Every structure is written in structure tokens, then in C-alpha cells.
């Protein structure tokens, strides 16, 4: 804290002397003091925002329509530079209209909450401002990625944590990388000769209900062969986005084994349940997968973005993707080249997403993540129990949720007893969007809704926010009823 | 600065009272003070690191081999939580062994330097911790992306800045998105029916020398048609990675027009020269492209990652990629849905990469970016002029560099006059790796090297670091000679 105390002294003096007008920020000569004062001003704005975000008296959002928001500040880019005062004003304006994703009543996405250690780690990552492609430019981060991926593979259940993996920019890209690996594994010639060198490939994935479409009919894989189609990839889902449902991984792995098909588990949302001794049985069989997607930025509340792809076979990622860019992966470097990870993915450069996960893991320990996850599932069970028989509510699917997803309709008194089923459905479809719009206008809470197949708009509550409590669940229910009773 | 002054008071008191032992960080009740104190301690560590990074007396890197570095700290993940003291120690250790990418003598990558406003913006982005997919959860950032992409399209030269675009996780992904758009534009059925519904497609891209392979023989496009191959995509490079060469865009656009082929310009490295009135002629014809990749995290020194794909045709990105995920892009939302950008890309969630670019642009103005870019090109011309006729140097390609890439061999006295050409080449190949290894061990500077085709290892100097000066260029030359003279 030596610099800190010095800084406090400096800030007092500097702030009184119109520091913004004199000289330039670093790298300008003698830019040190001005830079530290400027960054400290920004940090003050951020600290105030953070404290406010956790305060239930604060709005989750100060909502404005796009056209209004465009008018509320000068957002245009100019030829001429702005003053540092203007920069600070822009920072304040940006946060004023931002969503407070740390707010205990923000439930809108699978990624919610703001972890203080994760945030500190992300600030450090920005300051280090480097790229994951080589050990040369990211020595510590590359090692931490290695350590963390190994730990995640141990948790999956692969012997001694062996295998491979990478952090990628989100679940969609992780899943795409898995698919490329599966294709390369079955047809290595695809890398050189392209898609015309391979038969027509078929990939299978879960329906939203979380049962593999093909798996249900049992013999369907083989029915593709006479048509010249080759099934090469099955993506089983561990935690679907809307229902939070888990595919039966053991049964699926048996089929994949029989037909020699790559088994991928998309655990972007549900993978984190592996950290919980109470809930990890929902992923039984995951250790039989060839690859697993697991996004710590969802259920583990690591700041966005943080998505891992774990791969059981060693060496495959490199073989599949390497391009030998000789300006990065010189073969005569003076250190162990196996730490240069840039050839494992289609991307060349990769953002440093590891440090926030690693530092949070240090701060909480595995048991801390487990407690956090268990608590979210407990809250969702509380919500489920509270509304499943409550007047005015209907559940979208039967039985207890497998993840923290609780899907339900709220029926305002006016439509609760409508006899005409079609009329009732038509009205009900409009209820969630109006309640949601009102939530955003009042700024009191945020929860998602959507239609699904023949089901009209329903609320999908998910809980990944470590700041949420039983009282916040009570509040949500009261708020839905308050905002929806006249509909 | 109200919070700031309060904070200084609190910190003084708190720090004297063993704050780390009492209570928890937010969201714990009464976690405010502890959180602010903790984050302020981290910020102090970061501020000290920043000031140090710009100091030429500091090493660019405190280098250790992977196995050594693994021993130098306890990097393992544990079941049990660590103390906040340990977290602060981990932050210090991580930075101790990090590369100082802000250092005025760090030239190792296309992305170098650390902009103070960009850094502040990235800290704010982490604090806001949200996702670009909908206006609902990122209202300001979505608008700023809209404003900034429009401005970039104006600079490209598309009428009124019309068109489309997106920020993606790096140049490789931006280029991939362009290729998907080109394929969809020519064969929209590919989205539903897959690759087997389309003929064999051929894409063309630059050789490293920056001349399109096919373009050189003139009639080559048409020679593919009788074979059943369909050329669908030309990627012209504006600024190659190693030589910094620019393809002749006007000539290429004529051919693309004749054969009705999508023209993409990969300006990941060179696109930023569009900001410079002095250098933008190197991209003449870019306005004829269908799409352009432009990475502000390279030549504009925006913190990593920041890569834009700009697209001339409106609506195409949405049509090509939309999946209608009804849990995100509800059609009955209460605001203008054209601001929900998540359906424009294969990714669903996207990291917020826009704010740092936008805030830097505000702070510098267009003319500030121009001055910064012009200065880097001036430095590289200075380097070129200094070594082109200097004893012991040979240039890798003829003529003045088009970008800031200066590629050269340094020949130590011992091999300078070797008569046996093959022997000389063999020795020369080993020179750059050894000098580079020594640079890293002394930690004085960092510059890249590589072989290319039949050319043995040479240095590739690139300048994107706004902290670099003429003296730093002089230093680099002296250092290469100091470290290499005995070889």
C-alpha cells in the first residue's frame, strides 16, 4: 500500500490545482502523476458504481428507448480530442444507463452477478494487455491456463487430468471447435482437401427438452448409413438454456461408442454442477465424452467472457488446427514450445480469460464455488416450491427443475378463469412481455421470458447471481403480481 | 471525486486495523468498506505496475523458463479458500513475471503499448460486466458500437457510412465471418442444406508477398469453372503480418467484379492507415470491397481485443446467421429490435470490445489517432534509413516498407565476410534466435524474428507502440549489435 498512501497525498494536492489542464497522460514525459490522478478518478467512479449496484434501493436499470438514449448524451465521435473532464463525464453517463448486472435482483441471463475478486483480476488482465498465443508474451497466463484446464479435466473425471483444452470466446465457439475436432478425427484429410473430400456428415444435438432426438428412436444412427450420410458428432446438452434439462449421458455414450461417433457434452450452462458433490450426478457419464464445453462465466459467476473447451485426447487440437505461422511459433525458440498454445484453435490471438477464473478459484477454493452453486440451486428450489401450487401460477414442465431454471406462467386474475382455451392462451401470451416491459421501466428487477414451440410466452427464471437471497425471490413473485394483476 | 476523498480517509483507518480478517467482500452485508479497500489495494498494485512499465530503466520482462516459473510461486488450485493477502500476493507475482507490453521498447507483436484512456475504459467494461447480444442488457454499448461502426464505414468510404458490421474476437474470426457471408450471398441454400448443396468452392488469398496468387496469372479465375470449382471469395490483404505489404485493391476489385466474386479486404493490420491522410492511399479501392476486417487493437493500440468486421450490404449478416433464439430475441419486446445484434454472428454472446475504442476515439479525436499512426510510420522510416546501408545489415525485401514492418538480417562480424554462401546462410539462420533469447534474458527489449520461405531467420521490426521514440530505435540497433557481435 505504499503507492496508495502516496497517491492519497498526491490526489489531494493535484485535485485542487486543475490537473486536467496541464500536460499529457503517459507515455508523455512526466505523465506519471497526471495518469495516476486520472485513473484514480475513474476508479472512484467505478467503486461508487459497484457499491450502488449491490444496493437493493438502486434501480437495476434506468431504462430508455434507443432513440431517447441517443439524445441523452453526446455519443458522436469527433475529429478533435475531448478534454479529460469530458472523458470522465462519458464514463459516468455510460454507467448511468448501464444494466447493473451485479444487482441482487438481476436474473435476466445465465450470466449474472459481479464477483469482486473476479473483477480485480479482470482489471489486472486489462493492465497486462497481452495475448494468449505464446508463452513468450503471456508466460504466467499460459501457465495458469494449463493449471486450470488440468484441474477442470480432473473434475470431469479424466485420469490424472490428462487431455487438452483451451479457453475460447464463448460457448458457441467452444462447440464449433469441438465439431471441427470430431470431423478431423474421423476424416483427417478434410484439413488439406476440404469438405468435398468427405461424405455428407450429420451432427446430432438435443432438442430443447434435453433428450437427443435420434437417441429416442434408438436405431436411427444406422438408418443414415445407407443414404451415404455419416453421423460424426453428437452434442449432448448438460443444462439446456431454457429448461435447464440434462441429457442422459451414459446412455448416449453407449450409442456413440457403438457407432464410433464423437461425443461432445455442451455443459456451457450445466457443466459447473460438476463442482457440487450434491448435484454432479446429473452429469454422470461426462467422463466418457470426447469433449466438454463448460462456461465458468455462467453458473460460476466469473466475469464475461470465460468459456472452456476440454478435450480428452492429447495432441488432437494442435494437429487439427495448426497452421505453423512462423512469425509466432518459431521452432528454434529457447523455451519449451509445448506452452505456445496459439496453434490449438482457429483463432490466432486469444483474449486472456483465464486470470479471473484462476484468481476466483484461489479466493474461494473449490468448496467456495460449490457453496455458491448449491445456494443458487437451493434458491431455485425455494422458488419452485413457492409457486408450484400457488394461485395464478402454472409450471411449464412437470417435476422439480434439474438446474436453476424455473419456467412458469403467471395468470392475472382477469384471465385465470377464462373458459375459452384459445382466448386464454392468446391473452396469456401477452402477459409476460408487458410485465417485463414494466419491470424495466420501474427498474426493480429483470427476468427473461420467451415462447417455446407451441407454448406461449412464459417466464424463465434462472439463478446464477451470488448476491440473490430468499427475500429477493419473494420480491420477484410480489413484483410479478404487482405489475401484472391488471392485465 | 467525493467518493475518492472519503475513500482516502477510510483506507487510512482501515489499513491500520487488519481489515483483511474481518467479514467478507460484497455482496456480504456491510461488505462495502472491505470491498473498496480491497479493490483499492489492487488498483495501487496496478498503478505502480503502469508507472514502472513506461520506465526505460525497467526490464521489459523478467524471463524464466516454464519449469522455473512453475516453481516460483504456488500456482496450484486448492479446495480451501486463500486469504485476501494471498490474493494480493498472487496479483503481485503475476505482474512480476508478466511482459510489460506498455514498455517503450516492446516491439514483439503487432499489438503493443498501453493507452491510459483505453485502459480506463476496459476497467469500466469489466465493471459493467455485460454481454453485447441485446440492447436490453447492454443499451449504451450497443449504441456505441452502432455509432463507431458507422464512423468506420464512413472512413472506408461507403456512402453515408451505410452498411453493417460487428466487433468479433479477433481478425481470424472476423475473416471467417466474411467468408460465411460470401458463401451465403452466392448460395443462400447453404444455411439450410449444408455444404453438400453447393459446388466445390474456392477462396483466394494473398501470398505473403502481398500479391494475389491468382491475380498474377490474370485468367486463372475462369480456368476453375470447367473443373466444377466455383471461386466465391477473394481476400486481399492490406498489410501482411511479416512484410506489411498491401495488395493492389483497385485491380483486384476489377477482377472480382468481372467474375461476381465477393471481395474481402483483410486490413487487420493495415486497415488503421485509413485514419491517416498521408498513408490511406495504400488502401485505395477499399471502398469497392464487400467486407473489411480492421483491428483497432493493432495499429491503433486499443487494448486487446478489438477487431471489427465491416460489411457493405445491409441485412446480410442477420439473414446469414440468425437462429431466432427465442429466449433472447423475443419479437414482442417493447423497444426497436434492430438494436439486438446477437443474431448477426455465429457467436451468441459477445464480449464488450467497443467501449475502449470509443472512449479512446473521444479522447484523441480522429486527428489524435492519425498523429499516433503517422508517428509510428515515421519511426519505421527512420529505422529503415538508418540500417539500409549500415555495415552488417541486409534488408529482406527491396524498397521502403509500406507499413511499419522493417525486415532485416543482422550479420555479426564473424560471418559478415564468409565466402561459402551456404555456410553463411546456415550461420545466419541461428543469429536472430540467439539475439532474441539474450534480449529476453536481459529483458532490455523484444522484437520478433522468423524464417519465411527460403529466407533464413530475420528480424521483423514493427512499430505500433505509441511510447516509442527515435532514441528507442537507436537503442534497438545498439542492443542487437551488443548482443550479437560475438556470434
Amino acid at each position: 500500500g505504499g503507492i496508495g498512501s502516496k497517491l492519497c497525498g498526491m490526489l489531494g494536492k493535484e485535485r485542487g490545482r486543475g490537473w486536467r489542464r496541464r500536460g499529457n497522460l503517459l507515455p508523455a514525459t512526466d505523465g506519471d502523476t497526471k495518469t495516476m490522478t486520472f485513473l484514480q478518478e475513474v476508479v472512484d467512479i467505478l467503486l461508487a458504481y459497484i457499491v450502488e449496484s449491490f444496493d437493493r434501493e438502486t434501480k437495476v436499470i434506468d431504462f430508455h428507448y434507443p432513440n431517447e438514449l441517443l439524445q441523452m448524451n453526446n455519443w458522436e465521435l469527433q475529429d478533435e480530442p475531448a478534454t479529460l473532464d469530458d472523458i470522465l463525464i462519458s464514463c459516468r453517463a455510460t454507467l448511468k444507463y448501464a444494466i447493473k448486472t451485479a444487482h441482487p435482483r438481476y436474473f435476466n441471463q445465465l450470466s449474472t452477478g459481479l464477483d469482486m475478486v473476479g473483477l480485480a483480476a479482470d482489471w489486472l488482465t486489462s493492465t497486462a494487455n497481452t495475448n494468449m498465443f505464446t508463452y513468450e508474451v503471456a508466460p504466467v497466463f499460459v501457465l495458469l491456463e494449463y493449471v486450470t484446464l488440468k484441474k477442470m479435466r480432473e473434475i470431469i473425471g479424466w485420469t490424472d487430468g490428462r487431455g487438452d483444452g483451451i479457453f475460447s470466446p464463448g460457448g458457441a465457439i467452444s462447440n464449433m471447435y469441438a465439431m471441427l475436432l470430431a470431423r478431423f478425427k474421423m476424416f483427417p484429410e478434410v484439413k488439406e482437401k476440404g469438405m468435398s473430400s468427405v461424405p455428407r456428415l450429420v451432427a446430432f444435438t438435443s432438442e430443447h427438452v434435453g433428450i437427443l432426438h435420434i437417441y429416442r428412436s434408438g436405431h436411427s444412427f444406422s438408418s443414415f448409413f445407407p443414404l451415404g450420410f455419416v453421423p460424426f458428432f453428437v452434442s449432448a446438452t448438460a443444462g439446456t438454456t431454457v429448461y435447464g434439462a440434462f441429457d442422459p449421458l451414459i446412455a448416449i455414450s453407449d450409442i456413440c461408442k457403438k457407432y464410433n461417433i464423437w461425443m461432445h457434452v455442451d455443459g456451457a450452462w450445466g457443466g459447473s454442477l460438476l463442482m457440487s458433490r450434491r448435484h454432479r450426478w446429473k452429469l454422470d457419464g461426462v467422463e466418457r465424452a470426447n469433449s466438454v464445453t463448460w462456461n465458468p462465466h455462467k453458473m460460476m459467476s466469473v466475469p464475461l467472457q470465460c468459456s472452456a473447451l476440454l478435450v480428452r485426447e492429447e495432441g488432437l487440437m494442435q494437429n487439427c488446427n495448426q497452421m505453423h505461422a512462423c512469425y509466432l511459433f518459431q521452432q528454434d525458440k529457447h523455451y519449451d514450445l509445448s506452452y505456445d498454445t496459439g496453434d490449438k484453435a482457429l483463432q490466432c490471438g486469444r483474449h486472456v480469460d483465464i486470470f479471473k477464473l484462476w484468481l476466483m478459484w484461489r479466493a474461494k477454493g473449490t468448496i467456495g464455488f460449490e457453496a455458491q452453486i448449491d445456494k443458487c440451486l437451493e434458491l431455485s428450489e425455494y422458488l419452485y416450491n413457492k409457486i408450484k401450487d400457488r394461485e395464478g401460477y402454472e409450471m411449464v414442465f412437470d417435476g422439480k427443475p434439474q438446474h436453476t431454471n424455473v419456467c412458469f406462467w403467471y395468470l392475472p386474475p382477469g384471465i385465470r378463469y377464462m373458459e375459452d382455451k384459445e382466448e386464454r392462451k392468446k391473452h396469456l401470451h401477452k402477459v409476460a412481455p408487458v410485465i417485463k416491459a414494466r419491470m424495466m421501466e420501474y427498474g426493480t428487477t429483470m427476468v427473461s421470458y420467451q415462447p417455446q414451440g407451441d407454448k406461449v410466452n412464459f417466464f424463465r427464471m434462472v439463478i446464477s447471481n451470488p448476491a440473490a437471497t430468499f427475500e429477493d425471490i419473494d420480491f420477484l413473485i410480489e413484483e410479478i403480481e404487482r405489475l401484472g394483476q391488471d392485465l
Side-chain angles (χ1 to χ4, degrees), chain A:
Chain A
I3 287 270
S5 337
K6 265 187 278 166
L7 186 66
C8 283
M10 282 192 325
L11 287 180
K13 266 188 268 168
E14 278 296 310
R15 281 179 180 166
R17 285 201 219 151
W19 60 274
R20 289 185 198 89
R21 284 189 300 277
R22 287 184 295 99
N24 285 314
L25 298 175
L26 283 170
T29 322
D30 301 327
D32 297 22
T33 313
K34 183 158 185 167
T35 297
M36 290 175 78
T37 314
F38 165 69
L39 289 176
Q40 187 62 49
E41 292 252 0
V42 172
V43 167
D44 290 349
I45 292 170
L46 301 181
L47 292 178
Y49 178 79
I50 290 164
V51 170
E52 213 188 312
S53 292
F54 285 100
D55 180 358
R56 289 178 177 77
E57 303 300 310
T58 306
K59 283 178 165 192
V60 177
I61 182 172
D62 178 6
F63 180 80
H64 298 275
Y65 291 92
N67 285 335
E68 286 170 19
L69 188 51
L70 271 171
Q71 310 302 321
M72 300 190 84
N73 194 46
N74 171 15
W75 308 110
E76 289 303 315
L77 295 168
Q78 313 286 347
D79 288 347
E80 300 296 320
T83 62
L84 284 183
D85 271 330
D86 177 80
I87 294 304
L88 295 172
I89 289 167
S90 293
C91 289
R92 285 191 202 95
T94 300
L95 290 174
K96 177 166 166 42
Y97 304 115
I99 294 276
K100 294 197 171 59
T101 55
H103 197 288
R105 291 170 182 167
Y106 176 72
F107 303 108
N108 206 62
Q109 310 293 148
L110 303 183
S111 303
T112 60
L114 185 62
D115 185 272
M116 291 301 108
V117 172
L119 178 64
D122 217 18
W123 288 356
L124 185 148
T125 301
S126 304
T127 310
N129 191 34
T130 194
N131 199 314
M132 288 299 283
F133 43 40
T134 60
Y135 178 83
E136 184 172 323
V137 302
V140 184
F141 299 130
V142 164
L143 287 190
L144 297 183
E145 189 174 75
Y146 175 84
V147 165
T148 308
L149 288 170
K150 184 163 183 291
K151 186 83 180 173
M152 293 172 89
R153 289 190 301 261
E154 282 169 15
I155 290 173
I156 286 174
W158 292 334
T159 315
D160 299 329
R162 280 203 296 270
D164 209 339
I166 206 164
F167 282 82
S168 94
I173 303 281
S174 289
N175 290 339
M176 181 184 80
Y177 285 165
M179 207 179 262
L180 295 179
L181 290 172
R183 192 179 65 176
F184 176 76
K185 175 75 178 168
M186 195 175 267
F187 301 103
E189 63 272 26
V190 74
K191 188 177 171 185
E192 299 281 330
K193 297 186 185 160
M195 284 299 281
S196 60
S197 68
V198 301
R200 290 180 67 171
L201 303 177
V202 185
F204 297 90
T205 188
S206 318
E207 278 193 300
H208 58 88
V209 291
I211 305 291
L212 277 182
H213 181 57
I214 289 308
Y215 167 70
R216 283 200 287 193
S217 51
H219 61 281
S220 298
F221 277 156
S222 51
S223 71
F224 276 91
F225 295 113
L227 301 171
F229 291 11
V230 178
F232 78 112
F233 183 77
V234 170
S235 176
T237 308
T240 57
T241 304
V242 177
Y243 291 170
F246 288 75
D247 281 328
L249 302 184
I250 293 176
I252 291 169
S253 77
D254 286 342
I255 305 218
C256 288
K257 198 174 168 190
K258 181 170 169 193
Y259 293 103
N260 196 26
I261 294 170
W262 185 281
M263 176 177 171
H264 175 66
V265 173
D266 178 356
W269 174 225
S272 302
L273 266 52
L274 291 167
M275 307 283 279
S276 161
R277 282 165 288 191
R278 199 181 303 162
H279 297 285
R280 69 165 286 147
W281 62 269
K282 296 166 188 172
L283 289 104
D284 276 355
V286 68
E287 71 286 356
R288 302 189 189 183
N290 297 94
S291 55
V292 178
T293 293
W294 171 356
N295 288 8
H297 71 217
K298 293 194 162 109
M299 195 62 191
M300 286 157 75
S301 226
V302 176
L304 286 157
Q305 60 193 23
C306 190
S307 168
L309 173 68
L310 293 314
V311 178
R312 198 171 58 189
E313 182 175 332
E314 286 174 82
L316 192 67
M317 298 187 83
Q318 191 91 5
N319 289 339
C320 174
N321 293 305
Q322 77 185 346
M323 298 283 286
H324 298 292
C326 54
Y327 55 91
L328 280 175
F329 312 118
Q330 301 89 341
Q331 295 306 301
D332 40 19
K333 281 183 185 174
H334 60 129
Y335 60 82
D336 178 354
L337 298 178
S338 67
Y339 290 94
D340 283 358
T341 64
D343 244 0
K344 290 190 180 184
L346 280 189
Q347 297 164 272
C348 178
R350 280 192 301 127
H351 190 253
V352 178
D353 294 333
I354 184 59
F355 191 62
K356 48 203 173 190
L357 170 58
W358 181 83
L359 200 68
M360 281 174 68
W361 205 320
R362 291 284 282 204
K364 288 179 200 298
T366 311
I367 60 165
F369 274 126
E370 178 182 44
Q372 179 178 316
I373 290 163
D374 285 353
K375 187 192 145 203
C376 288
L377 278 132
E378 214 179 298
L379 287 174
S380 97
E381 197 174 336
Y382 174 80
L383 170 63
Y384 170 74
N385 286 329
K386 182 160 178 157
I387 61 174
K388 72 177 192 302
D389 302 316
R390 188 181 176 100
E391 160 108 30
Y393 290 81
E394 280 179 28
M395 305 310 288
V396 174
F397 58 84
D398 290 334
K400 219 172 88 175
Q402 293 181 277
H403 206 313
T404 69
N405 308 49
V406 182
C407 296
F408 62 91
W409 288 282
Y410 168 68
L411 291 83
I415 67 166
R416 215 166 279 172
Y417 308 104
M418 269 188 189
E419 303 235 324
D420 182 333
K421 294 254 161 162
E422 277 313 303
E423 192 66 12
R424 182 171 175 271
K425 213 170 155 177
K426 222 175 95 187
H427 274 84
L428 185 55
H429 189 55
K430 291 177 191 154
V431 169
V434 174
I435 294 178
K436 171 68 176 278
R438 289 177 180 178
M439 280 176 177
M440 290 182 71
E441 273 158 34
Y442 285 99
T444 46
T445 183
M446 274 175 78
V447 56
S448 189
Y449 75 86
Q450 68 280 296
Q452 175 105 296
D454 61 350
K455 294 182 167 64
V456 299
N457 279 319
F458 55 86
F459 285 110
R460 179 208 61 177
M461 177 69 177
V462 280
I463 306 167
S464 61
N465 192 334
T469 62
F470 293 105
E471 288 72 25
D472 295 313
I473 304 296
D474 294 339
F475 176 85
L476 176 80
I477 294 304
E478 286 159 26
E479 192 65 0
I480 286 176
E481 294 174 5
R482 181 178 79 86
L483 298 173
Q485 63 182 353
D486 65 324
L487 296 175

